[in-house]
Amino acid sequence: MQPMEKQEQPEKGPKRRLKLGDYLIKAGLIDEKALANALEIQKVQKKRIGKILIDMGVADDESIARALAAQLNIPFARLTDVQIPQEIIALVPAELAENYLLLPVRELNRCLVVAMANPLEIYAIDDLRFVTRMPISIVVSPERDIIAALHKYYPKKDLEADFSLRPGIDEGLEIVQPKEDEDKDVHDLMQLTSLPPIVRFTNSILADAIRLKASDIHIEPQKNSIVVRYRVDGIMREIMETDKQVHASVVSRIKIISDMDISVRRKPQDGRSQIRYSGKVYDLRVSTIPTAYGEKVTIRILDQHKGGMTLDTLGFSPPDLKRLVDAISRPQGMVLVTGPTGSGKSSTLYACLNKLNSQEVNIITVEDPIEYEIQGINQVQINPSAGITFATGLRSILRQDPDIVMVGEIRDYETAEIAFQAAQTGHLVLSTLHTNDAPSAITRLMDLGIQPFLISSALLAVVGQRLVRKICPKCKAIDPLAPKLLEKLPVRMVKDMKQELWKGTGCEFCQYTGYSGRMGIFQVMSMTPYLRDLVVPNVAAHTLAKAATRDGFTTISQDGIDKVFKGITTVDEVLRVAPPEEEPAQSSFVASTEEADNETEAAVESRPSVGSVKPVKILVADDSELVLRLISNVLESEGYLVMTARDGEEALKVATQEKPDLIVTDVMMPIMDGISLTKKLKANLTTRYIPVIILTAREEVESEVAGIEAGADDYLTKPVNPKRLVARIRRLLNRPSIARI
């Protein structure tokens, strides 16, 4: 090390009323115009102000360091030839050194001499004192000297260790590799994106989504972060928010395993992949689309075992099931399944095909995409770029001598016309249509241009359906608010106002939602002779619905309420997806619908809008009311938003639902202790990256060790010193995200 220009003295810290740019102006190194330009650039590039000034060419790192040393009366030192003992390096964690651009140099008079590029980092000095338990003496060094020394003395660890993902989430997940004839360049790119942290982080997301039975994964870039959300039981659920720096790497990894072009970022792409998890194979349908802040990725997870579902497991009532089975047992005609996107129409069609599949019939499908592969059935994927649309595909497969044809969706007149012609010429045709209910399918077909006489002669039955969440079996309990819930329903739907209703109270199994899994609520409208006579131009859907009730036809909402009375789902859930259409006063149940949607709306509202600042949320878990009050007062005085829990189980629930920025928990708590709580938090991707501080008794060394082994990020002994607690919290909140690359 070169001789220091000023004698080293333990630095108590300079006054910090001025910022770096102000000191450089005061030193005459830059002018106000240069600083103003640098600040404007910083709004866009998010770099350190010193780095921007260097890039602008108005100063270099050595002159900046010398100017700061002179203004702050701090020694200046070059690190080019310095040799630092390993025991000195070991005093400061790599994470702290890299985050603040500092380096421990030597010990002098029981003080630790630390070189910093920016000695105005107040929290850096506080953290150094806390971590090392030593007084700190500051010297100023050029940024390039510190960066070079960091590379020398803090070599990058194995990237897998950097990611620090403990086994459990992605364990057992395997990417099913592309076939041997893959393009060599793609294979090379796959090798490049197979680095441990990228693989484990991506695999953890996939494995966690499968564990939670998610149907879709959304990786959404925001201005300064990326948000990972799952669609579980039809409801979007935010899982985690992590640093934006990981976005490009994860997207590239997903593209490679899905046989997509990683060099294309400004055009939408589609791809597919397969993974094996816990002995089961899952298909992944991947879609990317460019957004304002980068590419958004959506992954549809398809469980191939669900392709073997049967009609009697979907939730049809016995009368509706009989009507549907009678219709699909006919040798020719058309059966339609209707409902909005995500209502389970494809599952119903696959269940019908499974019932009809045998060696005596030839079944061909044309789909977009092929969701489940069924042995013994010929499935055709539409490909518009190759000229295969629903219409052209249907026209082609009719020349393949089929007995049964399944068309994924009727979207236009051409497809509808060919399908009805096939239904009249000896084929059984199954398809879907986007309408609100079964009677509306007939008016929709007329809108597409199909003649009423074709509809009345070829249509056999129409199924209308929705999906409702089922009450979690692990926390199912009688709902004490049953009388008020029944008042929301039309009188004609309720036979007994004293009927008991059930709900889920929320537990770890259902992620504290009260629901687990979904089932269908249905209506099946058979085309009886009476109904066929009513299919004339301009017929209203409600006229057909009223006529169909003569033969036992019911509404979707009525089927849902029947399932409510059986304890399968809840009133709010039925009103959310299928409110009674005939109810004139919407206000009687709109409030309920909004209440049922609170979970979804809360998830959306909790995500910060562009430019907004989220309050830092800290969860404190302790069974002592006094400790809760004391810690809450300390943290609230620092501007933190504090939530409390009085046992481990309550803390786990709050952490899962609210996703705090940090958790402080006691070791000894009822129901679930702090060690068990920490293990569960670290085993769940939703809470895995939340820092945890464990509070222990002064002599409980074993508890401290157990807490660290369980995944705790820090620990404190009781009684807690307020300044020490705040310093520890700041250190954990300011450290780089564990999920960054």
Side-chain angles (χ1 to χ4, degrees), residues 197-255:
I198 299 298
V199 172
R200 297 207 66 187
F201 184 59
T202 307
N203 286 0
S204 293
I205 293 175
L206 296 174
D208 188 58
I210 292 172
R211 181 180 64 84
L212 294 178
K213 297 181 174 62
S215 61
D216 300 89
I217 302 171
H218 293 252
I219 300 174
E220 304 170 340
Q222 306 296 314
K223 187 175 184 179
N224 299 311
S225 64
I226 61 171
V227 174
V228 178
R229 298 198 293 165
Y230 301 160
R231 187 177 294 278
V232 181
D233 294 337
I235 302 295
M236 291 293 286
R237 182 186 302 174
E238 185 172 317
I239 299 300
M240 66 179 297
E241 182 176 0
T242 189
D243 194 272
K244 184 72 173 287
Q245 296 179 19
V246 78
H247 177 252
S249 301
V250 171
V251 171
S252 296
R253 169 66 181 170
I254 293 172
K255 283 183 175 181

Side-chain angles (χ1 to χ4, degrees), residues 505-570:
T505 58
C507 64
E508 185 180 352
F509 177 78
C510 64
Q511 294 286 291
Y512 303 98
T513 63
Y515 298 97
S516 178
R518 289 190 293 175
M519 74 179 309
I521 54 175
F522 301 92
Q523 59 179 181
V524 180
M525 185 178 74
S526 298
M527 293 301 292
T528 62
Y530 179 67
L531 270 183
R532 296 183 191 280
D533 292 339
L534 295 178
V535 180
V536 296
N538 300 320
V539 64
H542 67 83
T543 301
L544 296 170
K546 186 176 181 179
T549 57
R550 293 178 40 172
D551 299 306
F553 174 78
T554 61
T555 63
I556 298 175
S557 56
Q558 181 64 64
D559 187 49
I561 296 303
D562 291 343
K563 290 180 170 65
V564 169
F565 293 150
K566 293 177 181 178
I568 298 174
T569 187
T570 64

Side-chain angles (χ1 to χ4, degrees), residues 338 435-443 459 462-465 523-525 544 553 556:
T338 69
T435 62
N436 287 331
D437 55 18
S440 298
I442 293 176
T443 57
L459 191 62
V462 184
V463 178
Q465 68 179 76
Q523 59 179 181
V524 180
M525 185 178 74
L544 296 170
F553 174 78
I556 298 175

Side-chain angles (χ1 to χ4, degrees), residues 476-693:
K476 185 176 180 180
I478 293 177
D479 192 341
L481 300 178
K484 293 184 178 180
L485 293 172
L486 292 174
E487 289 176 0
K488 301 176 182 179
L489 301 175
V491 176
R492 57 184 168 75
M493 286 188 168
V494 183
K495 298 178 181 178
D496 182 5
M497 291 300 293
K498 296 182 179 180
Q499 172 78 43
E500 283 187 343
L501 302 182
W502 297 78
K503 70 171 185 177
T505 58
C507 64
E508 185 180 352
F509 177 78
C510 64
Q511 294 286 291
Y512 303 98
T513 63
Y515 298 97
S516 178
R518 289 190 293 175
M519 74 179 309
I521 54 175
F522 301 92
Q523 59 179 181
V524 180
M525 185 178 74
S526 298
M527 293 301 292
T528 62
Y530 179 67
L531 270 183
R532 296 183 191 280
D533 292 339
L534 295 178
V535 180
V536 296
N538 300 320
V539 64
H542 67 83
T543 301
L544 296 170
K546 186 176 181 179
T549 57
R550 293 178 40 172
D551 299 306
F553 174 78
T554 61
T555 63
I556 298 175
S557 56
Q558 181 64 64
D559 187 49
I561 296 303
D562 291 343
K563 290 180 170 65
V564 169
F565 293 150
K566 293 177 181 178
I568 298 174
T569 187
T570 64
V571 171
D572 285 339
E573 184 66 7
V574 173
L575 293 178
R576 180 179 69 86
V577 301
E581 297 177 2
E582 297 84 1
E583 188 68 31
Q586 297 290 327
S587 60
S588 63
F589 58 85
V590 165
S592 169
T593 306
E594 292 175 351
E595 182 181 342
D597 280 340
N598 277 346
E599 178 183 354
T600 306
E601 293 173 0
V604 175
E605 291 172 1
S606 65
R607 297 172 56 197
S609 59
V610 176
S612 66
V613 178
K614 293 192 300 181
V616 176
K617 297 187 293 186
I618 296 180
L619 169 62
V620 182
D622 200 301
D623 58 337
S624 169
E625 184 66 32
L626 178 61
V627 172
L628 286 179
R629 189 178 303 171
L630 290 174
I631 294 180
S632 297
N633 290 339
V634 170
L635 298 182
E636 287 172 353
S637 68
E638 295 291 327
Y640 297 119
L641 178 63
V642 180
M643 301 172 290
T644 60
R646 287 163 178 77
D647 59 67
E649 189 172 277
E650 182 185 358
L652 182 61
K653 179 178 181 179
V654 174
T656 304
Q657 293 178 329
E658 299 294 335
K659 293 183 283 296
D661 298 283
L662 185 138
I663 298 171
V664 179
T665 178
D666 190 18
V667 167
M668 300 303 296
M669 291 187 296
I671 303 180
M672 182 189 299
D673 60 41
I675 305 298
S676 300
L677 170 63
T678 303
K679 289 180 179 179
K680 287 184 177 292
L681 290 170
K682 298 301 180 179
N684 190 331
L685 196 62
T686 306
T687 54
R688 188 179 192 86
Y689 299 110
I690 300 175
V692 178
I693 298 177

